Amino acid sequence: MAASVFFLSGQIAQLRKDLFQRRVPSGFRIAGLLLDRDPLRASVDIAHDVIGDSGTTATFSLDYEINATHRLAFGLDVSTTFADGAYADAYYSVTAKGATASGLKEYKADAGFRDVSVDVSSRFAVTEHWGVGGLVGGSVLLGHGGLFLWYKF
C-alpha cells in the first residue's frame, strides 16, 4: 500500500515571485531559476507492507524542471527515505542464526533515514508526439551503507 501527497507549483506562485525576482538599480530585471513555466513539486510517498508486516517507509522528494526552450527541459530531483524500525529490522538486521550461517556479525538495525538520492534528467521533444530523454542519478546509503549510481534512457 502506498500513498502520495503533492504540492504543486501553482500553489507557490506568489512565493516564487517574492523570493526569486528582484530589480537592480540600473533597471535590469534579474529573475531566479523559478519561472512561471518551470514546475516545482514536493511530495511524500508512504509505503507500508500490508502482507508481511515488514514496516513502513516515507520518501520525501523535491523535483524541479527547467524548461530551457519550448522543446528542451532539464530536471533535478532530490529525495530522502525514512524507514521505521520494523522495516530496518526486516531488511538490514542480521540475526544470530543469520550471523552463524553467513559469518557476519550480529546486527540490529534501527529506524532512521535510509538514503539520500539525486537525479538529473533532460528531455527533448523531437516532434509534437515523439521525444527522447535521459536520467543520471546517485544515492548514498546513510549509516553503514555505500554509494550507488545509475542511468536510464
Side-chain angles (χ1 to χ4, degrees):
M1 177 170 57
S4 297
V5 178
F6 299 100
F7 305 96
L8 299 177
S9 61
Q11 297 171 344
I12 60 169
Q14 187 59 46
L15 176 64
R16 285 188 291 184
K17 289 178 185 175
D18 293 343
L19 293 178
F20 296 101
Q21 294 181 353
R22 297 178 178 86
R23 291 195 175 270
V24 294
S26 63
F28 292 103
R29 185 173 177 210
I30 298 173
L33 291 176
L34 292 173
L35 302 174
D36 287 337
R37 66 177 189 232
D38 298 339
L40 174 66
R41 182 181 77 136
S43 65
V44 176
D45 295 316
I46 299 172
H48 178 72
D49 182 5
V50 294
I51 297 174
D53 195 27
S54 297
T56 303
T57 61
T59 301
F60 306 93
S61 63
L62 185 62
D63 308 323
Y64 179 61
E65 186 173 83
I66 299 170
N67 291 296
T69 68
H70 179 66
R71 296 168 55 173
L72 179 65
F74 301 98
L76 176 67
D77 175 31
V78 179
S79 64
T80 186
T81 302
F82 179 85
D84 72 357
Y87 181 92
D89 191 42
Y91 291 99
Y92 299 110
S93 291
V94 179
T95 64
K97 183 179 177 181
T100 303
S102 66
L104 297 171
K105 292 182 181 179
E106 192 173 338
Y107 176 73
K108 173 72 172 149
D110 295 323
F113 285 94
R114 180 183 71 188
D115 58 38
V116 174
S117 300
V118 176
D119 296 331
V120 177
S121 62
S122 67
R123 62 181 171 81
F124 181 76
V126 179
T127 69
E128 186 177 335
H129 301 287
W130 290 92
V132 64
L135 179 137
V136 175
S139 183
V140 176
L141 291 175
L142 302 175
H144 299 289
L147 175 66
F148 293 95
L149 300 174
W150 60 86
Y151 67 94
K152 286 191 238 182
F153 288 102

mmCIF file of all heavy atoms in Angstrom, residues 33 35 43 57 76 79 87 91 94 98 108 111-112 128:
data_model
loop_
_atom_site.group_PDB
_atom_site.id
_atom_site.type_symbol
_atom_site.label_atom_id
_atom_site.label_comp_id
_atom_site.label_asym_id
_atom_site.label_seq_id
_atom_site.Cartn_x
_atom_site.Cartn_y
_atom_site.Cartn_z
ATOM 1 N N LEU A 33 15.885 31.121 -11.076
ATOM 2 C CA LEU A 33 15.583 29.974 -11.914
ATOM 3 C C LEU A 33 14.105 29.634 -11.941
ATOM 4 O O LEU A 33 13.618 29.058 -12.894
ATOM 5 C CB LEU A 33 16.372 28.751 -11.433
ATOM 6 C CG LEU A 33 17.871 28.808 -11.637
ATOM 7 C CD1 LEU A 33 18.525 27.587 -11.016
ATOM 8 C CD2 LEU A 33 18.208 28.904 -13.105
ATOM 9 N N LEU A 35 10.735 30.111 -12.862
ATOM 10 C CA LEU A 35 9.876 30.886 -13.741
ATOM 11 C C LEU A 35 8.483 30.285 -13.726
ATOM 12 O O LEU A 35 8.277 29.154 -13.291
ATOM 13 C CB LEU A 35 10.449 30.871 -15.163
ATOM 14 C CG LEU A 35 11.877 31.405 -15.302
ATOM 15 C CD1 LEU A 35 12.374 31.200 -16.716
ATOM 16 C CD2 LEU A 35 11.934 32.875 -14.924
ATOM 17 N N SER A 43 6.799 16.169 -2.732
ATOM 18 C CA SER A 43 5.908 15.030 -2.497
ATOM 19 C C SER A 43 6.392 14.199 -1.319
ATOM 20 O O SER A 43 7.562 14.226 -0.951
ATOM 21 C CB SER A 43 5.796 14.157 -3.749
ATOM 22 O OG SER A 43 7.039 13.570 -4.056
ATOM 23 N N THR A 57 7.997 2.847 4.971
ATOM 24 C CA THR A 57 8.977 3.851 4.545
ATOM 25 C C THR A 57 8.225 5.101 4.115
ATOM 26 O O THR A 57 7.091 5.041 3.647
ATOM 27 C CB THR A 57 9.852 3.363 3.374
ATOM 28 O OG1 THR A 57 9.024 3.081 2.252
ATOM 29 C CG2 THR A 57 10.672 2.153 3.763
ATOM 30 N N LEU A 76 15.803 18.246 -11.965
ATOM 31 C CA LEU A 76 16.590 17.893 -10.782
ATOM 32 C C LEU A 76 15.625 17.348 -9.742
ATOM 33 O O LEU A 76 14.581 17.959 -9.472
ATOM 34 C CB LEU A 76 17.319 19.116 -10.233
ATOM 35 C CG LEU A 76 18.112 18.906 -8.947
ATOM 36 C CD1 LEU A 76 19.304 17.981 -9.207
ATOM 37 C CD2 LEU A 76 18.590 20.234 -8.396
ATOM 38 N N SER A 79 15.812 13.567 -3.043
ATOM 39 C CA SER A 79 14.899 12.855 -2.156
ATOM 40 C C SER A 79 15.651 12.160 -1.028
ATOM 41 O O SER A 79 16.858 11.917 -1.125
ATOM 42 C CB SER A 79 14.077 11.822 -2.942
ATOM 43 O OG SER A 79 14.920 10.827 -3.480
ATOM 44 N N TYR A 87 10.803 -1.963 9.345
ATOM 45 C CA TYR A 87 11.401 -2.067 8.011
ATOM 46 C C TYR A 87 12.915 -2.281 8.128
ATOM 47 O O TYR A 87 13.480 -3.164 7.476
ATOM 48 C CB TYR A 87 11.109 -0.800 7.204
ATOM 49 C CG TYR A 87 11.673 -0.851 5.803
ATOM 50 C CD1 TYR A 87 10.902 -1.318 4.753
ATOM 51 C CD2 TYR A 87 12.970 -0.433 5.530
ATOM 52 C CE1 TYR A 87 11.403 -1.371 3.464
ATOM 53 C CE2 TYR A 87 13.480 -0.488 4.258
ATOM 54 C CZ TYR A 87 12.696 -0.953 3.223
ATOM 55 O OH TYR A 87 13.211 -1.016 1.953
ATOM 56 N N TYR A 91 14.916 -5.702 6.779
ATOM 57 C CA TYR A 91 15.787 -5.659 5.603
ATOM 58 C C TYR A 91 17.271 -5.463 5.902
ATOM 59 O O TYR A 91 18.110 -5.741 5.050
ATOM 60 C CB TYR A 91 15.311 -4.559 4.648
ATOM 61 C CG TYR A 91 13.997 -4.909 4.012
ATOM 62 C CD1 TYR A 91 12.805 -4.390 4.506
ATOM 63 C CD2 TYR A 91 13.939 -5.798 2.948
ATOM 64 C CE1 TYR A 91 11.593 -4.721 3.935
ATOM 65 C CE2 TYR A 91 12.732 -6.139 2.371
ATOM 66 C CZ TYR A 91 11.561 -5.595 2.861
ATOM 67 O OH TYR A 91 10.368 -5.940 2.296
ATOM 68 N N VAL A 94 20.895 -8.402 11.066
ATOM 69 C CA VAL A 94 21.461 -9.742 10.928
ATOM 70 C C VAL A 94 21.182 -10.460 12.251
ATOM 71 O O VAL A 94 21.683 -10.063 13.304
ATOM 72 C CB VAL A 94 22.978 -9.708 10.643
ATOM 73 C CG1 VAL A 94 23.547 -11.119 10.535
ATOM 74 C CG2 VAL A 94 23.280 -8.900 9.395
ATOM 75 N N GLY A 98 21.390 -15.907 11.326
ATOM 76 C CA GLY A 98 21.976 -15.412 10.079
ATOM 77 C C GLY A 98 23.461 -15.157 10.215
ATOM 78 O O GLY A 98 24.236 -15.395 9.279
ATOM 79 N N LYS A 108 21.570 -5.271 14.806
ATOM 80 C CA LYS A 108 20.181 -4.856 14.984
ATOM 81 C C LYS A 108 20.038 -3.454 14.396
ATOM 82 O O LYS A 108 20.581 -2.486 14.917
ATOM 83 C CB LYS A 108 19.808 -4.864 16.467
ATOM 84 C CG LYS A 108 18.462 -4.289 16.790
ATOM 85 C CD LYS A 108 17.343 -5.201 16.350
ATOM 86 C CE LYS A 108 16.022 -4.666 16.890
ATOM 87 N NZ LYS A 108 14.911 -4.939 16.059
ATOM 88 N N ALA A 111 15.434 2.440 13.315
ATOM 89 C CA ALA A 111 14.715 3.362 12.432
ATOM 90 C C ALA A 111 15.597 4.564 12.132
ATOM 91 O O ALA A 111 16.455 4.940 12.926
ATOM 92 C CB ALA A 111 13.428 3.816 13.104
ATOM 93 N N GLY A 112 15.388 5.156 10.975
ATOM 94 C CA GLY A 112 16.141 6.354 10.616
ATOM 95 C C GLY A 112 16.098 6.605 9.125
ATOM 96 O O GLY A 112 15.424 5.893 8.371
ATOM 97 N N GLU A 128 5.918 16.819 -32.022
ATOM 98 C CA GLU A 128 4.843 17.029 -31.057
ATOM 99 C C GLU A 128 4.492 15.749 -30.306
ATOM 100 O O GLU A 128 4.052 15.780 -29.167
ATOM 101 C CB GLU A 128 3.600 17.550 -31.783
ATOM 102 C CG GLU A 128 2.475 17.927 -30.850
ATOM 103 C CD GLU A 128 1.276 18.503 -31.583
ATOM 104 O OE1 GLU A 128 1.449 19.045 -32.688
ATOM 105 O OE2 GLU A 128 0.180 18.387 -31.036
#
